[in-house]
Amino acid sequence: NDLLDLGFVDRPRNTVSIREDPTQGVCVLGMREVEVWKPAELLRCLEKGAMLRTTAATRMNEQSSRSHAIFTVTVEQTSHAKGETLSARVRFADLAGSERAKKAGTVGERFREGVSINQGLLALGNCISALGDPKLNRSHVPYRDSKLTRLLQDSLGGNSRTVMVACVSPADCHFAETLNTLKYANRAKNIKNKVVVNLDVKDAELVRLRSQVQELKAELQRTTGQVPLDIPMDGSD
């Protein structure tokens, strides 16, 4: 809930509730979308969320992220000539790195944060394994094991393309963490999704009807030799 403050969600930051919406999918209760028209406006939203990001110093990292953060951008493109509306959702997930309490030297609240971080990464790893294993054939993907995996459900196994960027350290003292991170990211490469265009259902039906009308007009012209008059699709006189 790093990007959630009183300006974005109407509830305290320490309580994040999610639900499934028939049109928007899994979403955070109380969250509101901020409409932007320019890249600068979008970056301001991202910067505002980054300023609220919970960080703390550990033995491994002076500015360690203490939870995962998700930034979602919904893009819509409307063609007035064709009457089509295409939509896409770009979801950026900044995952906090897994850590060993003994090596990081975390205690108290920092220790509990580390436990939550590791639980989320474990649940995400299980989902990635289930999606990438051809033997399982996606028979059961444990999205409901954590809020993180439920929020990323559409980005992992839905109508989407997923890219994972792994941040590793060249230091030999972090060899175990680096190896585990690379193995984690390698499993994501096995996920294969079939991506289709997100065309509004009503718009798709309208396009189909227009195509049918054009075919009928062409058939009528071939039969009678006359060019038929254009009839408005909206039923107006």
Side-chain angles (χ1 to χ4, degrees):
N1 61 339
D2 288 329
L3 298 184
L4 311 183
D5 68 306
L6 296 179
F8 284 88
V9 65
D10 300 328
R11 60 181 59 246
R13 293 185 64 196
N14 59 352
T15 57
V16 178
S17 299
I18 57 178
R19 65 177 176 85
E20 293 193 23
D21 186 272
T23 57
Q24 298 181 354
V26 180
C27 57
V28 179
L29 272 179
M31 179 72 71
R32 66 178 178 86
E33 292 186 353
V34 179
E35 188 174 7
V36 297
W37 295 92
K38 300 177 181 179
E41 296 173 350
L42 178 66
L43 289 176
R44 277 198 294 270
C45 293
L46 181 59
E47 291 170 355
K48 184 176 182 179
M51 291 176 62
L52 296 167
R53 187 83 190 267
T54 304
T55 60
T58 66
R59 291 178 183 175
M60 297 181 64
N61 191 344
E62 291 184 357
Q63 293 184 339
S64 175
S65 299
R66 305 315 301 161
S67 63
H68 310 298
I70 299 175
F71 186 69
T72 304
V73 180
T74 303
V75 183
E76 290 188 352
Q77 182 181 29
T78 301
S79 173
H80 297 288
K82 297 181 178 180
E84 298 178 353
T85 299
L86 302 177
S87 64
R89 182 174 296 168
V90 184
R91 182 171 284 125
F92 301 91
D94 186 3
L95 303 176
S98 62
E99 60 182 28
R100 300 177 184 177
K102 184 176 181 181
K103 192 170 184 179
T106 54
V107 294
E109 185 64 23
R110 299 286 87 83
F111 174 79
R112 288 188 289 272
E113 290 170 349
V115 171
S116 297
I117 290 171
N118 292 340
Q119 287 177 341
L121 291 174
L122 177 61
L124 180 59
N126 291 337
C127 289
I128 291 174
S129 297
L131 289 168
D133 191 343
K135 297 180 181 179
L136 296 177
N137 195 26
R138 303 192 180 192
S139 57
H140 173 65
V141 183
Y143 290 121
R144 293 184 175 273
D145 285 358
S146 77
K147 293 179 180 179
L148 174 66
T149 50
R150 287 196 67 192
L151 287 171
L152 296 179
Q153 179 174 338
D154 293 339
S155 300
L156 291 171
N159 181 31
S160 63
R161 298 187 187 277
T162 304
V163 177
M164 179 175 287
V165 179
C167 299
V168 297
S169 170
D172 56 356
C173 60
H174 299 317
F175 174 78
E177 287 79 7
T178 296
L179 181 60
N180 289 335
T181 300
L182 292 176
K183 288 181 178 179
Y184 193 97
N186 187 62
R187 282 185 288 168
K189 293 172 59 178
N190 298 324
I191 299 177
K192 305 297 181 182
N193 292 330
K194 291 184 179 180
V195 183
V196 296
V197 176
N198 288 326
L199 180 63
D200 187 89
V201 177
K202 294 181 180 179
D203 289 341
E205 180 66 12
L206 185 60
V207 171
R208 187 187 68 80
L209 292 174
R210 282 178 173 170
S211 177
Q212 187 176 7
V213 168
Q214 292 300 322
E215 292 176 0
L216 292 174
K217 288 170 63 177
E219 181 67 22
L220 182 61
Q221 184 177 4
R222 286 194 298 268
T223 304
T224 63
Q226 298 179 355
V227 179
L229 297 176
D230 289 331
I231 303 175
M233 292 292 295
D234 57 1
S236 59
D237 294 335

